[in-house]
Amino acid sequence: MEKPNQKVTMAHDDGAAVPLLDSATKATGKPRRNMYAFFYATLASMTTIFMGYNLALMSGAQLFIREDLGLSDAEIEVLAGSINVFMLVSILAAGCAADRLGRRGTLVLANAFLTAGALAMSLGGSYAALVAARFVTSVGSGFSIVVTSVYNAEISPPSMRGFLSSFLDVSSIEDHYRLICDKLSLIKLDCFGVPCSALVAQMFISIGLLLSYVSNYAFAGMPVHLGWRVMYAAGVLPPLLLAAGVLAMPESPRWLAMRGRLADARAVLLRTSDTAAEADLRLEEIKRAVDESTTKSIDGDGGVWSELLVHPSPSVRRVLICVVGIHFFQQASGIDAIVLYTPLVLRNAGMSSNDAILGATVAVGVSKTCFILVATLLSDRLGRRPLLLASIAGVAVSMASLGITLSLNTKSAASVAACVASVMAFMAAFSVGFGPMTGTYTAEIMPLRLRAQGASLGNAVNRLTCGLVSMTFISLASWITMPGCFFLYAGVAATAFVFVYKRFPETKGRSLEDMDVLFAK
């Protein structure tokens, strides 16, 4: 057996064992990059390319759908935002599916639904048909955002879990709308010994965003009745190809242990741990967590949902408050209002050219993408908490700035530039922490037995809040004015800052099985 670089010890706090996993981080001060875990987290995250493509395509396609099918503003608003409400069904079912079918099997199913949804959208001939197609897409999207975050957290060693989990920026489906500069992969940088061209994997949702905007632009010149259909048809085949690749992935070691397949779980852990000793220690922690969960079930705890919602322990209750709270605040701070209605915001500021609006949107997306790199590269060095606090503060300030800019109502070139700058600042601030760290943090802190259902519950709150924001923005703007909307979002972000500051401990470097001890304090 490979000898560890350092002795593995167990710390104690009030008699509770606190496992401290040996890692290269302690020896060198830098997170070690396990390429086996990196590769399969990358493959799992690729599902979100197609999720992002199908979801974000509506922002441009709606212009042509409105003209082709004669839809009203209200119908467009519902068509664009209803998918977030539809996703509640699949998000709540994702935990059960992930536990029964496995993380890998559920990702295959997600790709199948994404393919079916894209095909249905391309063939839709009425408003009702398009709404039904959006529902099909929502099933694949819901499975994807829940299970990818859980899989990435469970396949990753503690020394790089934040790095790998940040691939998804999952916590937020608004991340469907991210853009990425297509030349980013040509930049030759090196971060922790990993070429930056490889780090583009973390941008998968952003790539889906980029492809959707490129598709909007590329097919805009086609006949109105055909162009938007081709946009969606382009997203039919790729998820099927990816599903075949997902079948080659190893299953999550924690799911294998829950099914009694300890030898298979250890084989995966040996490949995804920094040392063989760490793999054995991780396996022991997983076995202990599984045994405790089984004991609770036998003792009549009433099942996972009962343990989570009806009779939670004090530590589970603290975890649940953090999970539900951060998902609510992330969406209530207005990310989807910015992403879905950026053209409306820019027109309100005085920008009238469609080409100029598209160019400004791309610039906003590039800003967002670049700052996602900051979160991905620093989450395991600086920690989750500092990135979250800095990000939320930036979101509050930039939202207030956007509200002030729009309230001046000068419609001058300077006003337009200030509006674009405020939106770019918002996207940059959001991407540093509020976007990617929400999913990373919430996937980490849930106990093993509750993890899949806990992730489902958090994302259900996320989607419901997102749907509320995206389906009411136009109506809310007509009631309290558009600047009033952004002042409201700024206030929500300020409240979120206080919430995170008061309730969120640091999880950097902790094993997943160690979170009960952390939240028991």
Side-chain angles (χ1 to χ4, degrees):
M1 178 180 295
E2 181 183 350
K3 294 182 179 180
N5 294 327
Q6 295 180 328
K7 182 179 180 181
V8 178
T9 62
M10 303 289 284
H12 297 267
D13 182 16
D14 298 330
V18 182
L20 297 176
L21 296 180
D22 176 40
S23 72
T25 303
K26 296 179 182 178
T28 66
K30 293 182 178 181
R32 175 178 171 178
R33 298 307 180 205
N34 184 300
M35 296 310 296
Y36 185 84
F38 180 90
F39 176 78
Y40 286 113
T42 297
L43 189 60
S45 297
M46 286 183 68
T47 300
T48 60
I49 291 180
F50 313 117
M51 177 189 72
Y53 181 87
N54 281 286
L55 293 171
L57 199 60
M58 180 57 66
S59 62
Q62 62 178 282
L63 301 175
F64 310 101
I65 294 173
R66 180 198 301 267
E67 183 177 350
D68 183 27
L69 301 182
L71 302 186
S72 66
D73 288 343
E75 288 173 326
I76 288 294
E77 191 176 41
V78 171
L79 190 61
S82 60
I83 190 169
N84 295 297
V85 178
F86 293 155
M87 237 182 280
L88 286 172
V89 177
S90 56
I91 284 173
L92 291 173
C96 180
D99 283 346
R100 290 180 178 273
L101 303 178
R103 287 34 167 167
R104 183 178 59 183
T106 309
L107 285 175
V108 172
L109 193 60
N111 279 287
F113 274 105
L114 289 172
T115 294
L119 181 62
M121 283 296 296
S122 67
L123 298 176
S126 65
Y127 175 66
L130 294 182
V131 171
R134 295 291 272 178
F135 178 80
V136 173
T137 302
S138 75
V139 176
S141 300
F143 282 179
S144 179
I145 61 171
V146 172
V147 180
T148 303
S149 61
V150 171
Y151 181 86
N152 284 2
E154 293 182 344
I155 201 73
S156 310
S159 60
M160 62 185 302
R161 192 187 312 118
F163 176 80
L164 292 179
S165 296
S166 293
F167 275 3
L168 184 59
D169 201 357
V170 261
S171 42
S172 49
I173 226 135
E174 79 284 345
D175 290 343
H176 333 133
Y177 308 108
R178 268 189 236 145
L179 296 174
I180 182 175
C181 176
D182 57 345
K183 296 182 179 180
L184 184 61
S185 60
L186 303 179
I187 300 176
K188 303 301 181 182
L189 298 176
D190 191 89
C191 304
F192 307 128
V194 181
C196 253
S197 57
L199 296 179
V200 174
Q202 70 189 301
M203 308 289 190
F204 285 145
I205 297 179
S206 298
I207 292 175
L209 271 295
L210 172 64
L211 293 176
S212 71
Y213 277 93
V214 169
S215 181
N216 287 155
Y217 181 80
F219 300 117
M222 298 182 70
V224 171
H225 72 282
L226 185 61
W228 66 272
R229 299 181 187 278
V230 176
M231 295 175 192
Y232 280 101
V236 171
L237 182 60
L240 290 180
L241 301 178
L242 179 60
V246 169
L247 290 174
M249 289 170 24
E251 188 47 91
S252 156
R254 289 171 174 79
W255 184 83
L256 292 171
M258 291 172 68
R259 287 292 179 266
R261 297 165 57 182
L262 298 180
D264 291 337
R266 186 176 186 274
V268 176
L269 288 170
L270 285 172
R271 301 293 298 274
T272 61
S273 298
D274 293 338
T275 66
E278 180 182 296
D280 289 334
L281 183 56
R282 289 174 67 189
L283 181 59
E284 287 303 315
E285 291 175 343
I286 291 170
K287 288 166 60 179
R288 184 167 61 250
V290 171
D291 290 342
E292 290 174 355
S293 297
T294 302
T295 300
K296 289 181 179 180
S297 180
I298 293 175
D299 289 343
D301 200 1
V304 173
W305 287 108
S306 176
E307 183 179 349
L308 187 64
L309 299 176
V310 181
H311 303 294
S313 65
S315 63
V316 169
R317 186 180 299 110
R318 295 186 187 103
V319 167
L320 188 61
I321 291 172
C322 287
V323 169
V324 171
I326 194 64
H327 274 289
F328 167 78
F329 282 120
Q330 185 205 57
Q331 290 299 317
S333 64
I335 176 64
D336 265 52
I338 290 289
V339 171
L340 279 176
Y341 300 107
T342 292
L344 181 62
V345 173
L346 296 180
R347 280 198 172 96
N348 188 271
M351 186 180 292
S352 57
S353 167
N354 286 336
D355 289 340
I357 289 174
L358 178 60
T361 303
V362 171
V364 169
V366 170
S367 171
K368 184 170 174 55
T369 299
C370 290
F371 279 88
I372 294 169
L373 278 172
V374 176
T376 303
L377 300 180
L378 296 183
S379 63
D380 284 321
R381 305 191 73 177
L382 298 181
R384 287 54 154 159
R385 178 181 163 89
L387 288 176
L388 274 171
L389 290 173
S391 173
I392 296 170
V395 165
V397 171
S398 57
M399 275 295 193
S401 173
L402 181 58
I404 292 171
T405 300
L406 291 173
S407 65
L408 296 177
N409 199 29
T410 62
K411 299 191 183 299
S412 63
S415 175
V416 169
C419 182
V420 172
S422 295
V423 174
M424 291 179 66
F426 170 84
M427 288 298 195
F430 187 88
S431 300
V432 167
F434 215 2
M437 287 300 101
T438 297
T440 299
Y441 196 95
T442 57
E444 287 179 332
I445 64 178
M446 272 291 174
L448 172 63
R449 173 172 166 75
L450 309 178
R451 188 166 298 141
Q453 284 76 12
S456 294
L457 180 62
N459 280 287
V461 173
N462 188 286
R463 291 304 85 220
L464 184 61
T465 309
C466 179
L468 181 64
V469 170
S470 60
M471 295 175 68
T472 61
F473 177 75
I474 296 177
S475 301
L476 186 63
S478 66
W479 179 36
I480 64 173
T481 75
M482 189 172 290
C485 289
F486 294 117
F487 288 132
L488 176 63
Y489 299 145
V492 171
T495 305
F497 182 92
V498 175
F499 175 75
V500 171
Y501 182 82
K502 292 286 188 181
R503 287 192 167 271
F504 278 50
E506 183 54 70
T507 61
K508 180 184 71 171
R510 296 249 184 188
S511 71
L512 295 182
E513 286 66 41
D514 191 20
M515 297 303 171
D516 271 345
V517 177
L518 181 64
F519 279 86
K521 298 179 180 179

